[in-house]
Amino acid sequence: MRFTPSGFSRKTLVISTAALAATALLLTGCAGGSGTASSTDGGSAGGGGDSSITVIPKSLGNKYFEASDKGAAAAADELGMTFKEVGPTATGSADQVPFIQTAIQTGQKAIAIAANDPTAVCNDLSQAQSQGVKVVAYDTDTDCRDVFVNQATVDGVAEGLVKLTADHLGDEGGTIAILSGGANAANLNAWVDAIQALIKKDHPKITVAKVAYGDDVDEKAYQEAQGLMQSIPDLKAIIAPDTVSVKEAAHYLSDTPEYQGKVWVTGLGLPSEMKDYVDSGIVEQFGLWNPEDLGYLASYAADALIKGDITGKEGDTFTAGKLGDYTVGADGEIVLGPLFVFNKDNVGDFSF
Ligand code: RAM
């Protein structure tokens, strides 16, 4: 297994801290979009060569993307790339478009984007590609990119979360709900579809009563969790394949004793955000990957595209620094690794 518990080397930590410090300089300017925010220049985390990457997460302020982009900045530094992280503070379909345009206009060599909506950004990404900019989709796919750096396979995520839930419910099964994030996000919708298909195929005694959406916004996710628990009387479990949604479902459960021991929550979460809920017994187990490694791999894939070492063709190979060798799979997909399960024995071992 590739990733080491809380295991970055001292040197890498220093670089990431620099990127983090740069990130703290956010909110200095705006560039269009409803929930626009600002940009930051992680030059201090790399640069000097003429290679450059702009990273556009789903939204700024989401700790998951702060972790992934910290990894992206560390890799950019190792590669001598100039690094920028820019993005909106809301997850609207078109909120990322102005940042793509800025990356084009400022002559960036590569864009790494986690698109809130795979089609809404397509025209602008195609424009970037037509001007020689390499486009890496990371975390969630988009239709217009050279490669997709995927954290884990869709089936791997669905199998992992369904197994945790089915093992908890036991033979009698029961009624569950799914609390997702942004309603247009390709990754979340793929996981939700795969989870429902797997339950239908292998777990006839489990019923999915409802799929709700928290839009990667704390307050909305909390309210949706409340709505599910209050509106579904025989609800036994919530699967939340989104770091904001699983955290807020646990948050609402911890605020509401009447549902504790009655509704069981799992999903995809950050150990740093879930530890207290695991320690207090509100959550038993949940899954994820190492988001810092995901961002790190995305920068190395961008660099390999810029250098022409890969084109996105199936079978292309490249070395991603400390992560080792990777091969481009079908349809330009590069998979980081398997889903990892966190529980009370290991949740404290991770810094992300
Ligand atoms: C949220 C976002 C992200 C997803 C994680 C699990 O942070 O939706 O895209 O990969 O959850």
Side-chain angles (χ1 to χ4, degrees):
M1 183 181 67
R2 265 176 214 290
F3 83 119
T4 54
S6 55
F8 283 94
S9 68
R10 179 82 196 101
K11 176 178 170 296
T12 309
L13 188 60
V14 172
I15 292 168
S16 304
T17 313
L20 263 183
T23 310
L25 296 172
L26 280 177
L27 301 172
T28 53
C30 291
S34 60
T36 56
S38 64
S39 66
T40 179
D41 181 331
S44 62
D50 70 350
S51 190
S52 52
I53 184 169
T54 286
V55 172
I56 310 175
K58 283 183 178 178
S59 61
L60 299 175
N62 176 336
K63 277 195 75 183
Y64 169 82
F65 286 110
E66 287 172 10
S68 64
D69 300 352
K70 179 177 151 187
D77 185 64
E78 289 173 13
L79 292 159
M81 297 170 93
T82 302
F83 172 87
K84 283 183 194 297
E85 182 200 36
V86 295
T89 51
T91 55
S93 289
D95 284 352
Q96 293 165 305
V97 167
F99 302 100
I100 299 169
Q101 282 301 328
T102 305
I104 296 172
Q105 284 144 25
T106 55
Q108 295 292 292
K109 295 276 188 296
I111 292 171
I113 183 167
N116 286 303
D117 183 324
T119 52
V121 292
C122 217
N123 288 345
D124 301 88
L125 292 176
S126 300
Q127 184 195 337
Q129 288 179 301
S130 69
Q131 296 183 26
V133 181
K134 301 303 179 188
V135 176
V136 172
Y138 75 108
D139 176 71
T140 183
D141 207 356
T142 174
D143 304 348
C144 309
R145 43 66 171 175
D146 297 289
V147 294
F148 170 35
V149 175
N150 193 2
Q151 45 268 51
T153 62
V154 170
D155 290 345
V157 170
E159 283 154 17
L161 295 180
V162 169
K163 180 176 181 344
L164 290 177
T165 308
D167 288 353
H168 169 76
L169 294 175
D171 296 343
E172 78 223 36
T175 300
I176 74 166
I178 297 174
L179 180 52
S180 187
N184 297 316
N187 58 344
L188 303 175
N189 289 337
W191 297 331
V192 169
D193 292 349
I195 288 168
Q196 290 182 292
L198 194 55
I199 286 173
K200 206 165 185 186
K201 181 168 74 65
D202 296 348
H203 303 280
K205 292 193 176 172
I206 298 178
T207 308
V208 179
K210 185 174 181 192
V211 178
Y213 298 90
D215 293 345
D216 283 14
V217 175
D218 288 2
E219 296 73 25
K220 176 102 185 327
Y222 185 94
Q223 285 155 10
E224 291 295 334
Q226 177 177 23
L228 291 172
M229 293 189 210
Q230 290 180 341
S231 65
I232 307 171
D234 58 346
L235 185 67
K236 285 208 173 148
I238 292 177
I239 301 178
D242 175 274
T243 58
V244 178
S245 293
V246 75
K247 171 179 58 105
E248 292 306 319
H251 181 188
Y252 177 71
L253 192 54
S254 69
D255 286 350
T256 323
E258 71 186 272
Y259 296 118
Q260 292 171 13
K262 186 167 174 280
V263 179
W264 188 81
V265 168
T266 192
L268 299 174
L270 288 166
S272 58
E273 292 185 326
M274 299 301 289
K275 185 175 183 313
D276 292 350
Y277 297 120
V278 172
D279 291 348
S280 63
I282 291 288
V283 169
E284 280 172 26
Q285 300 185 82
F286 62 97
L288 201 71
W289 41 87
N290 183 329
E292 293 174 10
D293 286 353
L294 180 69
Y296 184 94
L297 181 56
S299 284
Y300 268 90
D303 178 69
L305 285 166
I306 293 167
K307 289 177 177 153
D309 297 344
I310 65 172
T311 62
K313 191 165 62 11
E314 184 169 1
D316 284 353
T317 61
F318 67 105
T319 302
K322 67 177 183 182
L323 295 178
D325 299 335
Y326 278 82
T327 301
V328 179
D331 191 26
E333 187 174 352
I334 301 164
V335 178
L336 173 68
L339 187 73
F340 185 85
V341 174
F342 303 91
N343 54 36
K344 65 181 178 349
D345 302 324
N346 63 19
V347 70
D349 298 344
F350 302 90
S351 59
F352 52 80

